Amino acid sequence: MEGYRLFMVIVGCKPPGRFTEQHDVFFGIAGSMQELVPDIVAFWPEAKGALHVDAWRAVTNVDGYPVSVVPAGGITAANRQQGNHLFFLNLGGYREGEFEELHYKMLNVAPEPSAAISAAKKTAFYKHCGFEGAVSHIDDKYGVDVDDIYPVKDIIDPFYKHRFALLIGDEPEAGLAPDPLHIGYFKLDKL
């Protein structure tokens, strides 16, 4: 659908009773980030609207594979049989001497989860954020396990699923510029 894009957003807040800021990932479909604000607030009701955005991107391509939004009924039988899917992975890892679990959130286009996991194992994060006794992992597992990655189409809110579908290119396209990453502290009313 012209003008609509998939957005990946890192949302943060300090929920009541917590000592540190918490984060989660929100995926939404809209024409702009501003249009997503009510959906972002609804996504994390425990925050009581006291949310901010730490990073966001409009997802138009991943590793050169085009990602587009189409009407939910606009996917043809051939598109449904396409080989590629968009996966979200949340890698966790450690650095020796640092009292922290570090995270790396990534998108990957692959035909199946095992291929997305193979790509995750090649990232600098996976290679450099682990040591003997504290290996990098996809969150909640030691070692990489297929249970801990998500097809984006499965974790997006049902509101979007009923209206839209994601169409992923079959092959990378030369010359696609990487999506700009907007990183920093963004108040919802300033998006």
Side-chain angles (χ1 to χ4, degrees):
M1 294 181 70
E2 196 165 323
Y4 284 90
R5 296 172 289 170
L6 173 69
F7 287 86
M8 178 180 180
V9 184
I10 304 295
V11 182
C13 76
K14 186 175 170 190
R18 300 291 176 204
F19 299 112
T20 61
E21 184 176 302
Q22 312 287 296
H23 294 92
D24 205 347
V25 177
F26 170 82
F27 288 95
I29 296 173
S32 70
M33 272 295 292
Q34 295 84 1
E35 292 174 27
L36 286 177
V37 170
D39 297 338
I40 292 170
V41 171
F43 169 72
W44 202 336
E46 302 84 3
K48 301 185 184 336
L51 294 166
H52 64 273
V53 169
D54 285 306
W56 65 273
R57 83 186 256 198
V59 182
T60 63
N61 77 85
V62 174
D63 297 327
Y65 289 88
V67 176
S68 54
V69 174
V70 297
I75 297 288
T76 65
N79 294 138
R80 275 195 281 289
Q81 297 302 317
Q82 73 180 359
N84 289 322
H85 304 281
L86 181 62
F87 291 96
F88 165 68
L89 296 92
N90 182 30
L91 302 176
Y94 308 94
R95 288 196 187 121
E96 197 161 12
E98 291 187 28
F99 191 72
E100 184 68 56
E101 179 185 7
L102 306 169
H103 287 93
Y104 178 69
K105 293 152 185 63
M106 65 179 285
L107 293 175
N108 182 268
V109 171
E112 58 192 358
S114 62
I117 289 170
S118 292
K121 287 181 175 182
K122 295 175 185 169
T123 64
F125 179 90
Y126 189 83
K127 292 177 182 177
H128 300 293
C129 286
F131 56 93
E132 182 84 23
V135 296
S136 295
H137 60 281
I138 293 183
D139 214 22
D140 295 332
K141 300 285 183 186
Y142 288 98
V144 177
D145 191 322
V146 71
D147 293 338
D148 296 318
I149 72 171
Y150 305 96
V152 172
K153 67 182 173 90
D154 290 350
I155 61 172
I156 199 163
D157 189 274
F159 170 77
Y160 301 114
K161 285 187 209 182
H162 295 306
R163 297 178 59 208
F164 306 106
L166 299 176
L167 186 58
I168 314 303
D170 289 327
E171 298 289 331
E173 291 184 13
L176 290 180
D179 294 332
L181 302 179
H182 305 272
I183 301 170
Y185 184 93
F186 303 95
K187 292 183 176 185
L188 294 182
D189 64 346
K190 303 293 185 208
L191 288 173

